[in-house]
Amino acid sequence: MAREFTSVGVVGLGTMGAGIVEVFARNGIDVVAVEISAAALERGRATLTGSTDRAVAKGKLAEADRDALLARIDWQVGLDALHSVDLVIEAVPEHLDLKQRIFAELDRVCRPEAILATNTSSLSVTEISVATTRPNQVIGIHFFNPAPVMKLVEVVRTVVTSADVVADVEALCARLGKVDVTISDRAGFIANALLFGYLNHAVGMFESRYATREDIDAAMKLGCGLPMGPLALMDLIGLDTAYEILDTMYRRGGRDRRHAPVPLIKQMVTAGLLGRKSGRGFYTYERPGSPVVVPDEHTPVSTGAALADGARAIAKVGVVGSGTMATGIIEVFAKAGYEVISVTRGAEKSAKVCEAVKTSLNKGVVRGKLSEDDRDAALGRVTWSATLDHLADVDLVVEAVVEELSVKKALFASLDEICKPGVVLATTTSSLPVIDVAMATQRPADVIGLHFFNPAPIMPLVEIVQTIRTSAETAATGRAVCAGLGKTGVVCGDRSGFIVNALLFPYLNDAVKMLEASYSTADDIDYAMKLGCGYPMGPFELLDVVGLDVSLAIQRELYLELREPGFAPAPLLEHLVTAGYLGRKSGRGFRDHTKR
Ligand SMILES: NC(=O)c1ccc[n+]([C@@H]2O[C@H](COP(=O)([O-])OP(=O)(O)OC[C@H]3O[C@@H](n4cnc5c(N)ncnc54)[C@H](O)[C@@H]3O)[C@@H](O)[C@H]2O)c1
């Protein structure tokens, strides 16, 4: 029989604590909510009532249920109020000495059979437990932010946590409507170990002015379908908390430089820019605690006129290539009203591409997203050719041929001879340096990267890659074209992986390393990222879709260019590729797809 939890205590009512109180009270459990001072208690209470009032306003919580929920909470200053609860969850700032002091005190105050839990994100639960005389009743219960919304709980068992305590806590999670994964005590557990290297890297991109905050966040939301961008997430987590988590992970997790907090984080913490909770972090918020972003001096002007400032007029577009990307890009431009010349290496290939574009447009008609007239008009705008010479008078060329530098360079050299002056030459490469293809021409200032995502007609993002030779006019043209296509263009420099792949693939690689180290299973790691961080797919699901060979190639490029030891491809990934386990396309990757 699992233990009955009729009353629990929560210590520390900040970003996490207030949410955890709400989770328990919503599920009919009495809560003693404890803070260090009357003022902090008031702040915690305000956070919770703000959250429940919003739920009522949105129709997600009945008023009577809200009142019943609030009636279950006993607000108190000081730990002594916890003398008769069955379980305590501690959610004070991420400092080991503070948590140890609190646990020693809880050990003295609480009933001998009470379970003592920490919500720590990165500290050792074992080290916290030894501050008590009952380490076998100490456990990690790691909720995700915002606690009332995120489904996942990581249950952290130390080597001395007793099995019945683990089972009781797992049963409690189920009662709270949460999905738990039970793991051992390692820095960052599953989700944070995979998340924080990525967040820190994104802050590094921002700090080095590689891209703007809006563009970094838009890239990850639109390119990967994440619920929020990394900088907005840092603001939600709180920069002080994020700093402590990174610092602990760096020290506990093998001094991986990718966890050494980017200096900007410490500067922002010192300056009081803690994120949402202080009203300002990477973004500025309506007021402290508010989720509403308001414009500030860094907010870009996004009117059409400003976007097109200095841009060249583009009416006629050449698309070179006959693969998936070229096909999608032809459709995108034709639908947006541009005149398109498609150039392939032969009539047969042109016929195939034409067929594929037609099929895709027809799907749009069947789904009611496109009228028959619009489909016919779009097709009428495309001319099919097998000769580059037909690109002599286009305003923009988009190259989407095979991902081989020698082929792309030869093509750009030809385009340089054929195209009229003033044309913008764009490559869709996802991994080669744009400057290499630019230097194959006599006009590197006119060359830019336009990295579309697959499938191009659906994915809303384009990375606009400027080399050190790209002119302001060419860059403005790139931005205007993306706006004309109805896509979100994000501007970045010419580094391996641009924004999205540079942030995404090391995370996927880390997940493989975690699996390889037998810390957890592919299923639990996938759950953790989906239910704890709101990712649309777990890392192993995504790897199998993208292809393990493609992922390995991208990870190798990143490693070679940035020489970051942490980016070294996971040996398991290399072995699976060697074994021919490439993912869905070969029937087997991390999972066997032939049986489903
Ligand atoms: N922020 C996140 O996204 C997140 C997610 C999961 C877990 N966590 C973990 O949760 C814990 C709390 O983080 P947070 O972001 O909520 O921090 P926070 O700074 O927002 O809140 C901490 C609260 O603890 C209170 N406090 C400090 N000393 C206390 C004491 N002696 N007694 C009672 N209360 C005290 C503070 O007044 C404050 O309200 C940390 O261990 C953190 O790693 C954070």
Side-chain angles (χ1 to χ4, degrees):
M1 264 287 282
R3 179 194 300 240
E4 244 326 284
F5 293 95
T6 48
S7 73
V8 304
V10 177
V11 183
L13 308 174
T15 307
M16 288 311 291
I20 295 170
V21 171
E22 185 179 332
V23 170
F24 283 107
R26 257 184 192 235
N27 285 284
I29 298 173
D30 290 337
V31 188
V32 182
V34 168
E35 258 292 351
I36 193 168
S37 66
L41 192 67
E42 243 352 276
R43 267 201 310 274
R45 192 204 292 257
T47 306
L48 185 133
T49 46
S51 165
T52 49
D53 287 352
R54 275 196 301 277
V56 170
K58 284 187 195 156
K60 290 186 176 169
L61 186 69
E63 265 184 55
D65 290 340
R66 187 240 347 247
D67 296 344
L69 183 163
L70 294 177
R72 285 186 202 109
I73 307 170
D74 177 13
W75 304 92
Q76 294 288 343
V77 172
L79 301 177
D80 286 339
L82 300 168
H83 51 79
S84 52
V85 298
D86 305 313
L87 162 77
V88 179
I89 298 193
E90 161 280 311
V92 304
E94 191 78 342
H95 297 292
L96 182 61
D97 51 347
L98 172 65
K99 294 201 191 255
Q100 284 183 324
R101 270 207 317 278
I102 288 185
F103 270 72
E105 187 65 11
L106 289 173
D107 190 32
R108 193 184 58 73
V109 168
C110 294
R111 292 190 299 134
E113 57 279 15
I115 294 175
L116 307 180
T118 171
N119 183 49
T120 183
S121 308
S122 57
L123 293 168
S124 160
V125 179
T126 316
E127 282 185 65
I128 294 170
S129 76
V130 294
T132 73
T133 58
R134 52 178 114 175
N136 57 332
Q137 282 160 244
V138 176
I139 191 164
I141 305 184
H142 184 230
F143 285 87
F144 286 77
N145 188 1
V149 179
M150 301 313 285
K151 277 248 167 268
L152 186 78
V153 174
E154 288 174 325
V155 174
V156 185
R157 161 185 62 199
T158 74
V159 286
V160 289
T161 312
S162 67
D164 57 316
V165 168
V166 174
D168 291 343
V169 167
E170 287 172 342
L172 175 66
C173 289
R175 179 174 166 197
L176 298 175
K178 301 287 183 192
V179 173
D180 69 277
V181 295
T182 301
I183 43 189
S184 60
D185 187 14
R186 192 175 118 164
F189 315 127
I190 297 177
N192 285 347
L194 296 181
L195 185 68
F196 272 83
Y198 148 71
L199 294 178
N200 204 33
H201 189 181
V203 176
M205 278 185 177
F206 173 73
E207 188 191 50
S208 64
R209 295 169 199 262
Y210 179 64
T212 64
R213 61 183 187 187
E214 283 81 7
D215 282 0
I216 293 172
D217 280 352
M220 295 314 285
K221 273 172 68 173
L222 303 179
C224 302
L226 304 188
M228 52 169 58
L231 302 177
L233 180 54
M234 286 288 289
D235 277 357
L236 174 68
I237 292 169
L239 270 72
D240 48 348
T241 302
Y243 177 86
E244 293 303 331
I245 294 173
L246 280 166
D247 189 51
T248 312
M249 287 191 34
Y250 175 74
R251 282 184 283 106
R252 279 186 74 204
R255 302 198 178 257
D256 182 340
R257 277 199 331 209
R258 293 178 303 153
H259 292 138
V262 165
L264 179 65
I265 302 175
K266 185 64 182 254
Q267 290 160 28
M268 290 175 72
V269 171
T270 310
L273 308 178
L274 305 183
R276 280 192 197 181
K277 62 180 154 190
S278 71
R280 184 154 184 184
F282 287 100
Y283 295 91
T284 303
Y285 298 85
E286 213 171 28
R287 57 175 182 282
S290 162
V292 181
V293 173
V294 294
D296 59 20
E297 67 272 28
H298 302 300
T299 305
V301 199
S302 60
T303 64
L307 270 173
D309 204 10
R312 295 179 194 155
I314 305 287
K316 212 169 176 185
V317 181
V319 179
V320 187
S322 51
T324 316
M325 289 315 287
T327 307
I329 291 167
I330 292 167
E331 180 183 334
V332 167
F333 275 99
K335 273 203 299 208
Y338 293 86
E339 195 184 326
V340 182
I341 303 182
S342 150
V343 180
T344 71
R345 280 171 300 157
E348 217 174 284
K349 287 198 188 298
S350 288
K352 261 179 72 184
V353 177
C354 178
E355 221 24 68
V357 172
K358 270 189 196 156
T359 308
S360 175
L361 288 170
N362 280 335
K363 269 192 202 152
V365 173
V366 171
R367 291 192 187 133
K369 293 192 173 160
L370 193 71
S371 72
E372 290 191 4
D373 287 351
D374 288 344
R375 172 198 60 195
D376 297 343
L379 276 172
R381 285 187 204 107
V382 189
T383 317
W384 307 95
S385 160
T387 320
L388 286 177
D389 290 340
H390 288 143
L391 300 179
D393 68 342
V394 297
D395 307 308
L396 164 71
V397 179
V398 180
E399 165 278 310
V401 302
V402 66
E403 188 78 344
E404 264 176 45
L405 189 56
S406 57
V407 177
K408 292 200 193 265
K409 278 168 83 167
L411 174 64
F412 272 73
S414 304
L415 292 172
D416 192 23
E417 305 216 320
I418 292 165
C419 294
K420 68 181 183 188
V423 66
V424 168
L425 302 177
T427 171
T428 57
T429 182
S430 43
S431 62
L432 301 169
V434 178
I435 190 66
D436 273 325
V437 293
M439 295 311 286
T441 73
Q442 302 298 314
R443 40 178 135 179
D446 295 331
V447 177
I448 196 166
L450 288 180
H451 183 222
F452 287 80
F453 288 72
N454 188 15
I458 292 171
M459 296 297 284
L461 184 73
V462 178
E463 287 175 316
I464 303 171
V465 186
Q466 287 175 235
T467 76
I468 43 172
R469 299 282 301 260
T470 306
S471 72
E473 220 180 294
T474 304
T477 310
R479 292 197 300 273
V481 164
C482 289
L485 296 175
K487 303 277 186 201
T488 299
V490 295
V491 178
C492 61
D494 186 18
R495 273 198 233 158
S496 181
F498 311 135
I499 300 174
V500 173
N501 287 354
L503 291 177
L504 177 68
F505 283 88
Y507 143 74
L508 297 175
N509 193 49
D510 284 346
V512 180
K513 288 183 185 166
M514 183 178 275
L515 182 70
E516 197 169 17
S518 301
Y519 180 59
S520 187
T521 62
D523 285 349
D524 278 359
I525 296 173
D526 277 351
Y527 274 136
M529 297 317 289
K530 287 195 290 190
L531 303 178
C533 304
Y535 283 29
M537 278 189 206
F540 298 106
E541 283 170 324
L542 187 56
L543 280 159
D544 274 4
V545 169
V546 172
L548 274 58
D549 50 343
V550 173
S551 307
L552 177 61
I554 294 174
Q555 190 60 29
R556 276 198 184 129
E557 285 294 331
L558 287 169
Y559 178 53
L560 287 177
E561 180 165 306
L562 301 169
R563 308 289 167 113
E564 169 57 60
F567 285 175
L572 176 61
L573 187 59
E574 310 222 22
H575 290 183
L576 290 167
V577 171
T578 309
Y581 295 167
L582 306 184
R584 281 180 184 269
K585 61 184 166 189
S586 72
R588 179 159 177 184
F590 285 95
R591 296 195 172 89
D592 186 348
H593 300 281
T594 55
K595 291 190 192 140
R596 294 176 186 215

